[in-house]
Amino acid sequence: MSRMLAGRVLVPPREGVLAWQATMNASSLSVLVPTRGRPKRLRTLLNSLAANTRYPERLTVWLGIDDDDEPTLTALAEICALPLTIKPLIQPRAATLGMLWNSLYWQARPKADYYVCLVDDYVVEELGWDEITCQHLSKWPDGLALGYFPDPGIAMRDEVTIICATRRWLELTNGIAWPLFRFWFIDSWQDQIASMVGRKVRIPVRVAPS
């Protein structure tokens, strides 16, 4: 495993790099989506993924659903019938949004090389967004990178709000979010770490509010 020292990333031994590159050939991608009470918007997001994903066989969408979210639970069979691999995680409502993000990550963790954190009131407009994301996150042979989609909903477009990351990055940061952050700073601390070590990656994928 890579070690970080004085703002630099020390590349792991060659055998570790080769093992990582072999894993990357699969290019599996998990999309993590916390949702509550907005099944129509959730379907709109999922339809945008279905329309614009180049390799749907490599994509899994994980939905974080509260067990008291009746509108979403009622629509769940229809949602899961969409032409994507969709896996719902139904659990008691988390105390913080950070805890829900991490629950989704730990469910998806053994099964993906790359992760994208989306919300249920946005859509993905970029054809081949999945391929573009994997290409940008795979630039470093040690597998350490944090990417982001430019967010049209904020004034500072270079801030990380839509997290995209490699599996090794999230292993080192122990998940998506520090669990005590209720809403604010969930993405900011990842942004700051990636900026300090020179692994923050702008991914040119167009997204928009639905």
Side-chain angles (χ1 to χ4, degrees):
M1 182 176 292
S2 295
R3 294 171 296 154
M4 295 185 184
L5 181 64
R8 295 181 299 143
V9 174
L10 304 182
V11 178
R14 182 173 181 272
E15 61 271 16
V17 171
L18 293 176
W20 174 257
Q21 289 174 331
T23 301
M24 285 301 95
N25 291 333
S27 298
S28 58
L29 179 65
S30 280
V31 174
L32 313 181
V33 185
T35 187
R36 182 176 174 86
R38 298 192 286 198
K40 289 184 178 179
R41 284 194 166 184
L42 177 60
R43 278 195 296 267
T44 300
L45 165 64
L46 296 175
N47 281 328
S48 76
L49 293 177
N52 291 305
T53 298
R54 182 152 292 162
Y55 299 105
E57 70 277 7
R58 301 177 185 175
L59 179 72
T60 302
V61 181
W62 295 83
L63 304 178
I65 304 171
D66 298 332
D67 62 5
D68 63 347
D69 182 0
E70 292 299 330
T72 304
L73 293 172
T74 299
L76 189 56
E78 180 183 347
I79 289 169
C80 289
L82 294 171
L84 293 166
T85 299
I86 298 173
K87 296 184 179 294
L89 172 63
I90 302 170
Q91 62 180 17
R93 189 171 184 177
T96 70
L97 182 58
M99 290 179 181
L100 180 54
W101 279 120
N102 286 342
S103 293
L104 286 168
Y105 164 67
W106 288 109
Q107 286 293 315
R109 180 176 175 268
K111 304 173 181 68
D113 302 311
Y114 304 104
Y115 298 83
V116 174
C117 299
L118 292 176
V119 289
D120 61 7
D121 57 351
Y122 266 48
V123 294
V124 174
E125 298 181 332
E126 192 80 34
L127 182 62
W129 71 275
D130 52 321
E131 184 177 36
I132 295 168
T133 299
C134 293
Q135 287 174 347
H136 279 74
L137 289 177
S138 64
K139 290 181 178 180
W140 288 276
D142 61 5
L144 285 170
L146 178 82
Y148 65 99
F149 299 158
D151 186 346
I154 63 171
M156 299 180 66
R157 298 288 295 276
D158 287 330
E159 285 189 357
V160 174
T161 60
I162 303 172
I163 292 174
C164 311
T166 63
R167 184 177 69 234
R168 293 198 74 232
W169 180 271
L170 294 178
E171 287 173 348
L172 285 178
T173 59
N174 200 32
I176 305 294
W178 185 253
L180 298 182
F181 295 157
R182 292 188 62 84
F183 298 101
W184 304 109
F185 309 119
I186 287 174
D187 35 38
S188 297
W189 79 288
Q190 290 276 14
D191 188 334
Q192 291 169 3
I193 294 169
S195 297
M196 285 189 292
V197 300
R199 295 301 178 92
K200 179 178 173 180
V201 185
R202 185 182 188 276
I203 301 176
V205 165
R206 287 178 292 111
V207 297
S210 59

